[in-house]
Amino acid sequence: MNAGAKLVTVVGGALAVGLLVDMARRPFSPTRLVGAVLYIAGFALITVARAQLGEAFSLTPQARVLVTHGLYSRIRNPVYIFGMVAVLGIVLYWGQPRLLLMFAVLIPLQIVRARAEARVLKERFGDEYRRYKEQTWF
């Protein structure tokens, strides 16, 4: 795992632990519980997706290898999808309506990032990427 992936994993893991500690200190709320579950599940699946990417993980669109196994056999961008699940979890957990604005802004940004990545992969892998794209979601 490269340094960027390690940093994101450490920060995300620390936030997960922080949420669990905070849950023990505050009154129970079903919305907070759902938020914590979504965050932890989203973060866990992001970690799996990054591990499946191996050395192909990067913060900018690059086309080192076309990863088509594991989560990537069904979803082209699981890091983006599960990242949004984790963010939605945080929004629900903290119960701050203004955080919905952050969530609403992140959705189109993730779509733009996915399209940029798709362009790079299509240029590098051509028909192989097109076939892969036809068999997967987002």
Side-chain angles (χ1 to χ4, degrees):
M1 190 181 295
N2 65 30
K6 286 178 187 175
L7 176 64
V8 171
T9 300
V10 169
V11 170
L15 183 56
V17 169
L19 283 179
L20 292 174
V21 169
D22 188 65
M23 279 190 76
R25 293 181 180 163
R26 292 183 187 221
F28 175 80
S29 154
T31 304
R32 289 169 48 82
L33 179 61
V34 168
V37 168
L38 285 175
Y39 174 76
I40 291 169
F43 173 70
L45 289 165
I46 289 168
T47 302
V48 168
R50 275 201 309 269
Q52 290 172 350
L53 274 176
E55 290 303 312
F57 178 80
S58 66
L59 297 177
T60 59
Q62 297 178 19
R64 296 181 195 138
V65 325
L66 182 59
V67 178
T68 60
H69 65 278
L71 294 172
Y72 291 86
S73 68
R74 304 280 183 213
I75 305 170
R76 288 187 304 279
N77 301 288
V79 171
Y80 301 158
I81 295 294
F82 297 123
M84 294 309 299
V85 168
V87 169
L88 179 59
I90 289 174
V91 168
L92 291 173
Y93 182 85
W94 289 110
Q96 297 291 323
R98 65 179 176 226
L99 290 178
L100 285 173
L101 178 60
M102 175 185 72
F103 184 72
V105 168
L106 284 176
I107 291 172
L109 290 176
Q110 294 294 55
I111 292 168
V112 168
R113 288 180 66 197
R115 287 182 180 163
E117 186 176 290
R119 279 191 299 276
V120 170
L121 291 168
K122 188 166 52 173
E123 287 175 16
R124 170 80 159 80
F125 298 106
D127 288 337
E128 182 182 4
Y129 178 74
R130 285 184 197 90
R131 283 190 300 276
Y132 168 68
K133 188 175 178 183
E134 290 172 359
Q135 298 170 359
T136 55
W137 176 72
F138 187 74

